[in-house]
Amino acid sequence: MSKNLICYSDLALLSHHPFENTDQLIKHGAGKVELLMDGPCWDEMEDLFQELAPKLQALPVRYSIHPPAWDINLTSENRAVRETAFTEYKKAIQLAGMIDACHVVIHPGFCFSPAFDKQTAQKRAAQMINELCKIAEPLQVKLAIENVGYSGSSLFTQEEYTRFLDGIDKTAGFLIDIGHANLNQWDIPRLIKETKDRLLALHIHDNDGIRDAHWPIGEGNIEWPAIFSAINQCQLPIELILEYAPGTPLNWLEEGKHILQNEIQINETGV
């Protein structure tokens, strides 16, 4: 399996400079890096892009982009928060276009109180994502819609998530976060099979079914053999993103890469 399908998230190096993170990840075997735009280094985004983009492009690696993950809610009940989230996602798409990133991760939103209607939030998410597709399509950037939220905050049941992209621009595809699916007790092999026609990537990390721990493969209670089997059956060039917790030793990413190379065999035509 080619390194082009295995990606390291720089979440493990959260709050350090993205160029330094990328350099460190390359030294530990990264062929692709997903840059998480959180932390003080990203405070002046627009100024940073012009300086950062050529430096990133000069490194021997490809990219995907993860916009800010904390304090961002695309479907908030507060309009100002929704508008801010949209703006931050737009900036991430623009950076992705500058460095030829393959996709930008999109969190469709959260519903933090039972007082708020999830169907309304789902409609807001669909509208916002269609608007973001208009920005991404000319830049040849895909939008990877992630299943986020647990303990009641997810906008979707498993069935609702698998149907969510019906009617949404083809610039958008699915990104299944294995850890989040486990927290919500979703049937992960079935989820992979039912989304395979528009499945772009997987966020790969483990947990105990209670905490979003972002542990390495095998450290929690996720049934990995069934997941690997489902991926192999799909025979698709799905990007596999190791998304381990801040502070995880980078050799754990290398070990995760070796596990994926040994367990998954998929058709890489066109990648």
Side-chain angles (χ1 to χ4, degrees):
M1 179 180 181
S2 167
K3 68 179 182 179
N4 288 335
L5 286 179
I6 299 177
C7 178
Y8 295 173
S9 167
D10 75 340
L11 173 63
L13 298 168
L14 184 68
S15 294
H16 296 285
H17 193 280
F19 181 81
E20 296 172 1
N21 288 357
T22 303
D23 187 56
Q24 286 295 310
L25 294 174
I26 290 170
K27 292 175 181 176
H28 285 82
K32 222 172 199 179
V33 172
E34 184 163 279
L35 297 171
L36 175 58
M37 298 171 67
D38 261 307
C41 292
W42 294 97
D43 280 351
E44 303 298 331
M45 285 192 188
E46 295 86 344
D47 295 336
L48 180 64
F49 289 176
Q50 296 299 326
E51 172 192 348
L52 182 62
K55 292 182 179 180
L56 291 173
Q57 285 188 301
L59 294 173
V61 71
R62 296 183 63 201
Y63 300 97
S64 57
I65 298 291
H66 196 311
W70 284 274
D71 305 319
I72 292 288
N73 188 358
L74 198 60
T75 53
S76 171
E77 294 300 310
N78 184 291
R79 185 176 68 179
V81 173
R82 293 197 301 272
E83 291 174 350
T84 297
F86 184 90
T87 298
E88 296 304 293
Y89 285 149
K90 180 179 178 180
K91 293 176 186 176
I93 293 168
Q94 290 167 340
L95 175 61
M98 294 172 70
I99 62 173
D100 299 319
C102 59
H103 70 251
V104 172
V105 179
I106 301 294
H107 288 183
F110 304 87
C111 198
F112 290 114
S113 170
F116 301 132
D117 180 54
K118 290 190 176 183
Q119 289 187 336
T120 298
Q122 290 172 14
K123 290 177 182 177
R124 287 177 179 151
Q127 179 183 1
M128 291 282 201
I129 290 168
N130 270 323
E131 290 300 312
L132 290 169
C133 284
K134 295 177 183 177
I135 299 167
E137 194 276 334
L139 299 175
Q140 298 183 324
V141 174
K142 291 286 188 179
L143 302 185
I145 313 304
E146 181 178 354
N147 56 305
V148 291
Y150 55 95
S151 299
S153 66
S154 175
L155 299 187
F156 308 106
T157 64
Q158 179 169 340
E159 291 71 23
E160 288 170 338
Y161 177 73
T162 59
R163 297 194 304 267
F164 176 64
L165 293 185
D166 295 350
I168 288 181
D169 190 277
K170 296 297 184 182
T171 301
F174 290 106
L175 185 155
I176 296 173
D177 187 293
I178 302 296
H180 298 164
N182 188 56
L183 291 171
N184 286 314
Q185 301 180 336
W186 288 5
D187 182 338
I188 300 170
R190 180 165 65 88
L191 179 62
I192 290 169
K193 294 171 186 176
E194 292 181 350
T195 59
K196 66 182 180 64
D197 290 342
R198 293 182 71 172
L199 183 57
L200 300 176
L202 304 175
H203 273 163
I204 295 178
H205 53 94
D206 214 330
N207 61 53
D208 58 4
I210 301 170
R211 295 165 292 173
D212 191 18
H214 285 258
W215 289 335
I217 297 169
E219 295 296 303
N221 65 8
I222 292 176
E223 297 291 335
W224 291 103
I227 293 169
F228 294 149
S229 177
I231 297 169
N232 284 330
Q233 289 175 33
C234 288
Q235 286 292 299
L236 294 171
I238 302 164
E239 185 170 319
L240 308 171
I241 305 163
L242 292 162
E243 192 182 47
Y244 290 176
T248 301
L250 298 186
N251 65 294
W252 282 95
L253 289 169
E254 292 184 85
E255 292 184 21
K257 176 182 175 181
H258 293 320
I259 292 170
L260 297 178
Q261 288 176 320
N262 290 333
E263 297 291 343
I264 297 174
Q265 301 295 325
I266 55 181
N267 178 9
E268 300 182 60
T269 302
V271 176

